[in-house]
Amino acid sequence: MTEILALLQNIAPLLEPTIFRQMSQVIFGMLVISGRITMLGLSRWTEKGGSYRTIQRFYHSGLSWKAIQWLFFRKRLLKPEDEHIIVGDEVVIGKAGKETHGLDRFFSGIQQRVILGLSFFAFSLVNVQEERSYPMQATQIVKTAAEKAVSKAKAEAKKVKKTAEKKKLGRPKGSKNKDKQEVVLNPELLRIQKALQSLLETVGTTITLRYVALDGHFGNYPSAFMVRQANLHLISKMRSDAALCPAFEGEHSGPGPKPKYGAKIDVHKLDAKYLKETSVEDNLRTDIYQGPFYNKEFAFALNGVIMLKTNLETNAQAHVILFSTDLEQAYDKIIKFYSLRFQIEFNFRDAKQYWGLEDFMNVKETAVTHAANLSFFMVNFSCA
C-alpha cells in the first residue's frame, strides 16, 4: 500500500503539506474500503486515525483539479511519441434531496429517461495507439434560470404544435436568408467551449492535439463552429436522415449565381467513385464511402464517411454517417477516432463502480466538485 501511495509524490508540488496528507488518507481509504465511498465511510477506513472532520476539511479545501490531473498524467501516463485526441461526453448520476449543488432533471442515457440528479461534462485524452482514455477534467453542468425558462418554453411550444393545424409547406413569405457564418452559441456549447479552451491551455505545447471526437448530439454546425474556433477539427456523427449534397459540377447558364449544391445523394445508391472499401463477414456486406459533401445547415464542406451495411440474405440495409471538418483526413482515421470516443464511457463506468462517483453525499459546490474530480483522478491513479 505504501508503494501505491508513493505515486502521490508526483503531484506533491501542487499541494500544501496539510492537504497532501489529507489526500493520502482519503485515497488510502478509497483503496481499502468495502462499502460506499462517502465521507463517513472513508473516515472509518483511513489509516492513522483519520477523522470525519479531517475528511471534511479535504473536501472543502482549495484544489486545482485540472492541474493535478495533467501533472499526474504527464509524469506517469503520457507517451509523447503516441498520437492523442480529445474526446468529450456528459455523464449523469442520480441524486435525491433538495440541497445538492446543481441538482436538476437531466436525461440519463443508461436509464433512457429524465432523472433527478447531477450532470458533468468530461474531457479525456485518448492515446490512439493504446486505445485508452484518460480523464482530464470534469465540469459540472448547472442550468441557469434563463436556460430553464427556454427549455420550458420549448416544451410548451411542442405541445401547441401537436394540437395546431398542419403548418403550410414552403418558405414563409418575407423571410430572408440567414448568414451561416454568424453563429450564436447556446449556454451548453459556451460551457463546453470554455472547458475545451481551459484544457488546451493546460496541455500547452507538450503534445499536439488536432481532433475532438463528440457523439451524435454534437453533429451539427454550431458544435463544429465551436470546435473550429479552438483551431481543432470535429469528428462526429450525423442523423441517419441528414441531407448530403456534392458540390455543383454541371454547367450553369440560367440567371442568378452558380448553384453551390448538387443533387441530394441517396446513401443506398452512392456513386462508385466514392467507394473506398468493401468487406463481407457472416453474410453482412459493409461498403464504406467517402467524399466531400455539403449539408445546408453547415457553412462549409464536410469530409463525409458513409458506412452502408447490407444483409445478403434479406437485402435489408442500414447506414451510419460520420463526418470530420478536416477535408484531408482519411476515412479509416475518421472511423477509428470516432470509435475511440466510446473509451470515455469506460472512464464513467470505473468512476461510478469503483471510485464513488455515484456514492458521494456532499451538497456544497466545492465538495461536489472535489468528489466528482477525485473519482476521475482515481481512474488515472489506478492506471499508473
Side-chain angles (χ1 to χ4, degrees):
M1 189 64 70
T2 55
E3 291 80 2
I4 296 176
L5 292 177
L7 293 172
L8 289 177
Q9 293 297 327
N10 292 283
I11 61 172
L14 299 176
L15 304 175
E16 297 178 0
T18 301
I19 297 178
F20 180 79
R21 184 172 63 255
Q22 293 170 350
M23 189 172 187
S24 299
Q25 293 178 346
V26 169
I27 290 180
F28 178 89
M30 295 179 77
L31 291 171
V32 300
I33 196 170
S34 61
R36 298 178 63 196
I37 300 178
T38 62
M39 287 197 298
L40 181 59
L42 291 172
S43 67
R44 291 170 176 170
W45 286 85
T46 52
E47 63 175 352
K48 299 179 182 178
S51 64
Y52 181 84
R53 185 61 181 145
T54 299
I55 306 299
Q56 194 176 42
R57 288 193 185 99
F58 169 75
Y59 276 94
H60 289 83
S61 60
L63 294 169
S64 176
W65 283 107
K66 64 178 182 179
I68 291 172
Q69 291 277 38
W70 170 243
L71 181 60
F72 187 83
F73 172 78
R74 182 165 59 86
K75 287 193 173 185
R76 299 296 308 183
L77 302 168
L78 175 63
K79 296 180 180 178
E81 68 278 4
D82 289 350
E83 185 177 12
H84 293 78
I85 64 171
I86 302 172
V87 299
D89 203 358
E90 180 183 358
V91 56
V92 175
I93 54 178
K95 293 292 178 186
K98 298 180 180 179
E99 302 298 327
T100 306
H101 175 74
L103 188 70
D104 212 320
R105 303 190 69 83
F106 300 95
F107 179 79
S108 170
I110 295 177
Q111 300 188 36
Q112 287 296 302
R113 63 186 181 90
V114 176
I115 64 171
L116 184 66
L118 306 179
S119 177
F120 298 87
F121 192 90
F123 276 119
S124 294
L125 292 180
V126 174
N127 184 312
V128 176
Q129 282 69 31
E130 291 182 343
E131 298 187 355
R132 173 171 283 187
S133 174
Y134 301 99
M136 286 293 106
Q137 66 180 36
T139 305
Q140 187 177 8
I141 298 175
V142 181
K143 295 180 181 179
T144 62
E147 286 181 80
K148 294 179 182 179
V150 170
S151 298
K152 186 176 181 180
K154 286 183 178 179
E156 292 177 352
K158 285 183 179 180
K159 292 180 181 178
V160 172
K161 188 175 181 180
K162 288 181 179 180
T163 57
E165 293 182 0
K166 188 175 180 181
K167 184 179 179 181
K168 288 185 178 181
L169 299 176
R171 186 169 179 171
K173 186 177 181 180
S175 63
K176 297 181 179 180
N177 292 337
K178 296 179 181 179
D179 186 359
K180 294 180 181 178
Q181 300 292 342
E182 296 181 4
V183 178
V184 179
L185 301 181
N186 60 31
E188 177 190 20
L189 291 180
L190 288 174
R191 277 193 298 265
I192 296 173
Q193 183 182 54
K194 184 178 179 181
L196 180 60
Q197 290 173 343
S198 175
L199 175 61
L200 293 176
E201 290 172 1
T202 302
V203 173
T205 58
T206 305
I207 55 176
T208 301
L209 297 170
R210 295 187 59 198
Y211 300 102
V212 179
L214 301 173
D215 65 15
H217 175 71
F218 300 96
N220 51 62
Y221 179 53
S223 299
F225 178 83
M226 178 266 295
V227 172
R228 291 299 295 135
Q229 277 193 318
N231 293 320
L232 297 170
H233 288 289
L234 173 66
I235 297 173
S236 187
K237 182 176 74 171
M238 282 186 159
R239 288 168 52 107
S240 60
D241 60 351
L244 296 177
C245 308
F248 181 80
E249 296 179 348
E251 294 184 2
H252 177 61
S253 57
K258 181 180 178 179
K260 181 178 180 180
Y261 308 112
K264 176 184 174 181
I265 65 171
D266 183 350
V267 295
H268 299 286
K269 299 177 182 178
L270 281 166
D271 195 311
K273 68 180 181 180
Y274 297 120
L275 184 63
K276 297 296 180 181
E277 181 184 316
T278 297
S279 60
V280 178
E281 184 178 355
D282 297 331
N283 289 320
L284 190 66
R285 188 183 72 218
T286 302
D287 298 315
I288 301 178
Y289 300 86
Q290 182 187 28
F293 299 113
Y294 286 94
N295 178 279
K296 294 184 179 181
E297 297 299 322
F298 288 75
F300 44 74
L302 300 172
N303 187 351
V305 174
I306 300 169
M307 301 174 64
L308 178 64
K309 293 185 179 290
T310 305
N311 188 314
L312 299 179
E313 294 181 349
T314 64
N315 288 325
Q317 292 184 320
H319 68 277
V320 173
I321 304 174
L322 305 180
F323 73 89
S324 172
T325 55
D326 181 3
L327 296 178
E328 303 299 323
Q329 193 174 15
Y331 72 93
D332 55 339
K333 287 284 190 180
I334 296 175
I335 296 172
K336 182 177 180 63
F337 288 178
Y338 185 77
S339 65
L340 288 176
R341 185 207 66 80
F342 194 77
Q343 292 297 315
I344 197 173
E345 301 293 346
F346 298 129
N347 297 157
F348 297 158
R349 178 201 63 187
D350 293 345
K352 289 179 179 180
Q353 290 185 1
Y354 306 118
W355 308 119
L357 184 58
E358 285 193 315
D359 295 339
F360 70 85
M361 302 174 68
N362 311 77
V363 296
K364 300 297 183 181
E365 179 179 1
T366 301
V368 170
T369 299
H370 289 351
N373 280 277
L374 179 60
S375 299
F376 287 115
F377 173 76
M378 290 303 296
V379 174
N380 288 341
F381 188 80
S382 62
C383 295

